[in-house]
Amino acid sequence: MNSGVMVVEPSETLFKDMMSKVDSLPSYTGGDQGFLNSYYAEFANSRVFDPNKPLTPEPETQRLSTLYNADVGLYMLANKWMVDEKELRVIHYTLGPLKPWDWWTAWLVKPVAVWQDVRQNLEESLPGTGGGKNPHDQLVVKILFILPFCMLLCGYYGSCFQTNKELLSMRTLCAFARQARYKYKSEEALPSYSTVGVASSSFGISNQKLSTGAHLKLPSYFGAIAVVVCFICALISLAFAFLVIPRQVMPWTGLLLMFEWTFVTFFLLFGGYLRFVYKWGSFSANHAGYGSLDSSENHTGTGHQGNTSDCDTASAFYWMGMATISTIAPLSPTVLGITAIFAKLGLMVAGGVVLASFMTYASEHLAVSAFVKGQRGRS
């Protein structure tokens, strides 16, 4: 007997008899289901309920068929129902935390789509009903969509405007553009670094050389720290996104908010670390006596400009690469039409491994790039 789905006829006499035997009859679950199976010891031999063939008089107990207790847990094992899906009357979501009103279950469990269809026609009575249009949740969702963009603007102000303080004193945007163009033309190439990535450096970065001929060493643990910080930022971003998003929003709304908050939080956290590394590089250069070179000391050759541009292009590539892979990984099962939960999880894990490998290379490159730019005094 599964006490999760059952139909009972109230009886005070029966209730009192049950209560008198609660302490004497065993319960294999420690709760109501185990007790009921002990109380109705012959239940397994009961007739299967068939509404088209009623019995007179009705038996004391009847078993419900799969049509009236379709266990989603059993569906996930076979990736199909044992009966015609159109004939189902009751679907029982038994998978612990994977309940249909939580937005993320729609991306893991196929039968949740049935609940989502029914949900559209329900009136607002409980959180998540009424088509997912809970007034409180709607306000929260609007705020959650807008807030990350405000956070990005604040982060951009902190990293760009404060680094380029002269921007605040510009009378016009054209004046700033002329100055930026002049700086770009007079800027010397970044010091080259060839060993970025686990395969080539094993977290060991080569010495950096300034145009004056001086060498500034990066710590041997520099790459390892960058990778660890990157993964910590990613985990914090995921956890924070799950915490702030209401559980009962619609699946697509939840997924879009998840991407938005994860990306923005990671961008701000890891971007803050890169800003710290930039200042670290600037401090190490000044401490060694090789501060930022004036524009008069820099070379203006096209080759140097090309190297600088290549470095910035590579950094942008790594940022875009991480965003692209982290977007494709969770969506790939849906795009490929995979419905089996174990196949979905396997594909997501494979995508996660690819993303982790890429993040390892990307975090080292971005950190080294920030450190070298700090040495050179570039924003």
Side-chain angles (χ1 to χ4, degrees), residues 253-301:
T253 303
L255 186 66
L256 292 175
L257 285 174
M258 188 70 187
F259 280 135
E260 185 179 0
W261 275 91
T262 302
F263 289 161
V264 170
T265 306
F266 176 79
F267 182 80
L268 295 177
L269 289 177
F270 194 62
Y273 169 73
L274 294 180
R275 185 168 177 79
F276 166 77
V277 170
Y278 171 86
K279 293 181 177 180
W280 181 8
S282 178
F283 173 80
S284 65
N286 293 331
H287 184 71
Y290 304 105
S292 302
L293 300 179
D294 295 331
S295 60
S296 60
E297 296 175 336
N298 293 336
H299 302 288
T300 58

Side-chain angles (χ1 to χ4, degrees), residues 123-142:
E123 295 182 358
E124 179 62 38
S125 57
L126 295 171
T129 58
K133 296 180 180 179
N134 182 292
H136 174 266
D137 285 351
Q138 280 188 305
L139 177 60
V140 172
V141 167
K142 290 178 181 178

Side-chain angles (χ1 to χ4, degrees), residues 72 75-76 93 95 98 104-113 339 341 344:
V72 172
Y75 173 93
M76 299 314 299
Y93 295 93
L95 294 176
L98 297 179
W104 60 80
T105 57
W107 303 102
L108 295 175
V109 184
K110 183 182 177 182
V112 171
T339 58
I341 187 170
K344 281 186 176 181

Side-chain angles (χ1 to χ4, degrees), residues 40-61:
Y40 293 104
E42 299 298 322
F43 179 79
N45 300 321
S46 300
R47 171 183 178 271
V48 176
F49 170 71
D50 186 350
N52 298 320
K53 298 179 180 179
L55 295 180
T56 304
E58 288 189 357
E60 182 184 18
T61 60

Side-chain angles (χ1 to χ4, degrees), residues 3 75 108 136 146 176 194 215 239 248 267 283-284 301 321 332 343 350 357:
S3 62
Y75 173 93
L108 295 175
H136 174 266
I146 296 173
F176 171 71
S194 58
H215 287 268
Q248 289 85 15
F267 182 80
F283 173 80
S284 65
S332 54
S357 301

Side-chain angles (χ1 to χ4, degrees), residues 153-174:
L153 288 176
C154 293
Y156 178 79
Y157 174 83
S159 62
C160 180
F161 284 74
Q162 291 183 7
T163 302
N164 301 281
K165 293 182 179 179
E166 65 273 14
L167 179 61
L168 299 177
S169 62
M170 292 297 170
R171 294 183 178 180
T172 63
L173 183 61
C174 293

